[in-house]
Amino acid sequence: MRGTGRGGRNQEFVLAAMIALNGAPVTIFSAGTDGIDGPTDAAGALADGTTLTRARQLDLNPRQYLDNNDSYNFFFEPLNALVKTGPTGTNVMDIHIIVTPASSRHHGVHAGVN
């Protein structure tokens, strides 16, 4: 922890990945199965290739929020991208999902109908 903001490890993961992927056409989801991420009411967060652009249009500086460990406030009001399930009573693990477009997957490795 470097800053004084609010957020948990799942929200931080999504914010850091969103910055690193810099608008790439992917969707990033990370949440705790218990429905709680750090000292917040959110289980985690969700971002896609447009989230960084939308943040910049709102004059939000994602790096500033990350440096202050304030991912909750970055995703909450301005971008409506927090995952809120409420407490689930099940604490199995954190779930990280990154979905990429079919065209960017390695040919011959993915399954599915073309």
Side-chain angles (χ1 to χ4, degrees):
M1 294 287 298
R2 298 175 306 271
T4 60
R6 285 182 72 198
R9 64 183 171 266
N10 290 295
Q11 297 163 57
E12 290 255 334
F13 173 82
V14 173
L15 181 55
M18 182 196 75
I19 292 169
L21 291 168
N22 196 26
V26 300
T27 301
I28 307 160
F29 168 88
S30 185
T33 59
D34 60 356
I36 301 166
D37 187 28
T40 72
D41 60 347
L46 175 71
D48 65 21
T50 67
T51 305
L52 190 60
T53 300
R54 290 185 298 127
R56 288 180 176 150
Q57 289 171 344
L58 296 170
D59 291 324
L60 298 174
N61 181 337
R63 174 57 62 186
Q64 183 179 11
Y65 282 86
L66 185 62
D67 289 346
N68 192 35
N69 300 111
D70 200 15
S71 52
Y72 182 89
N73 288 314
F74 176 80
F75 286 118
F76 181 51
E77 285 294 331
L79 298 172
N80 193 28
L82 288 176
V83 176
K84 292 188 175 186
T85 62
T88 65
T90 304
N91 189 5
V92 178
M93 69 180 113
D94 291 341
I95 299 171
H96 305 286
I97 299 173
I98 299 176
V99 179
T100 61
S103 62
S104 69
R105 295 184 190 139
H106 186 291
H107 296 289
V109 175
H110 71 281
V113 177
N114 291 333

